């Protein structure tokens, strides 16, 4: 995805904002200019915040759009670098039985990192920025980001998934 110099850096909703607790709406017209602009702005906002993902509700848009942008980082040195992918109406169709614990943070939850159990692998179907339906399989850190971002579309934050016995 090219960096659009006209893209805007949007404010990021913080825990407690109503938009983060809502179930987001399906995207009806993936190629509509307002949707394409929103994706560019989400990309710029994610880069500015140094995130590896972002979901539209985090920028106050209750729409089913996520961006996934794995890169190696101190917690996940072996994470694959990838071109950011925008996914509209993502549906996780299959989760592995194998689970794994991994540290997560969130641009909407300040100063909190915690270990969350997620499926190690998944299959996801989504509409890409060209309006095509794509099915892909992911594992490890990328699968973790997808699960974290899809949770945002369903009004769930990673801190809602923490085991109270471990807190
Ligand atoms: O870059 C972050 C990071 C945090 C922990 C491990 C590795 C990287 C900042 S938090 C982040 O990028 C969230 C973005 C959010 F909030 F918009 F969803 C994505 C994420 C980070 C770690 C695990 C799963 C998802
Ligand atoms: Zn988050």
């Amino acid at each position: 995805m090219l960096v659009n110099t006209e893209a805007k850096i949007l404010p990021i909703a913080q825990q407690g904002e109503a938009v983060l607790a809502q179930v987001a709406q399906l995207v009806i017209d993936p190629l509509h200019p307002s949707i394409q602009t929103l994706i560019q702005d989400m990309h710029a906002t994610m880069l500015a915040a140094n995130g590896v993902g972002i979901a539209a509700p985090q920028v106050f848009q209750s729409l089913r759009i996520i961006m996934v942008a794995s890169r190696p980082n101190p917690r996940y040195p072996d994470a694959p670098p990838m071109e950011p992918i925008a996914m509209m109406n993502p549906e996780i169709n299959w989760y592995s039985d194998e689970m794994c614990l991994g540290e997560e943070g969130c641009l909407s939850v300040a100063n909190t990192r915690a270990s969350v159990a997620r499926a190690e692998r998944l299959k996801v179907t989504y509409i890409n920025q060209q309006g095509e339906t794509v099915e892909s399989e992911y594992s490890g850190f990328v699968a973790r980001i997808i699960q974290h971002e899809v949770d945002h579309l369903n009004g769930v934050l990673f801190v809602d998934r923490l085991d109270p016995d471990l807190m």
Side-chain angles (χ1 to χ4, degrees):
M1 179 177 292
L2 292 173
V3 177
N4 178 349
T5 51
E6 290 180 15
K8 290 189 294 292
I9 295 168
L10 302 172
I12 296 177
Q14 294 300 305
Q15 186 176 21
E17 298 271 9
V19 68
L20 294 176
Q22 292 166 2
V23 176
Q25 301 290 306
L26 286 170
V27 174
I28 304 300
D29 183 357
L31 299 181
H32 193 280
S34 65
I35 297 293
Q36 296 288 318
T37 298
L38 174 59
I39 289 170
Q40 294 292 335
D41 292 348
M42 286 172 59
H43 183 217
T45 305
M46 178 187 71
L47 291 180
N50 212 19
V52 291
I54 196 164
Q58 293 184 277
V59 293
F60 295 92
Q61 297 295 322
S62 193
L63 288 166
R64 300 188 80 79
I65 306 172
I66 66 173
M67 189 158 292
V68 182
S70 165
R71 54 178 158 72
N73 59 82
R75 276 287 153 204
Y76 299 91
D78 299 327
M82 64 189 280
E83 271 292 301
I85 300 178
M87 299 183 177
M88 289 177 261
N89 302 339
E91 283 183 42
I92 301 175
N93 310 313
W94 174 80
Y95 296 89
S96 64
D97 291 334
E98 185 187 354
M99 305 288 288
C100 58
L101 278 174
E103 190 175 287
E104 297 190 13
C106 182
L107 304 177
S108 297
V109 183
N111 305 319
T112 305
R113 297 248 172 139
S115 200
V116 183
R118 301 280 190 187
E120 166 65 20
R121 294 166 57 208
L122 56 76
K123 287 183 185 168
V124 61
T125 302
Y126 63 94
I127 300 171
N128 68 14
Q129 223 183 324
Q130 288 69 46
E132 302 156 340
T133 299
V134 176
E135 187 187 27
S136 300
E137 183 166 344
Y138 292 102
S139 61
F141 187 53
V142 182
R144 175 170 298 281
I145 298 169
I146 292 170
Q147 290 169 84
H148 177 116
E149 302 306 337
V150 170
D151 269 356
H152 276 301
L153 304 184
N154 294 323
V156 176
L157 295 177
F158 81 105
V159 288
D160 301 326
R161 292 200 175 274
L162 302 182
D163 183 341
D165 292 339
L166 300 177
M167 292 174 72

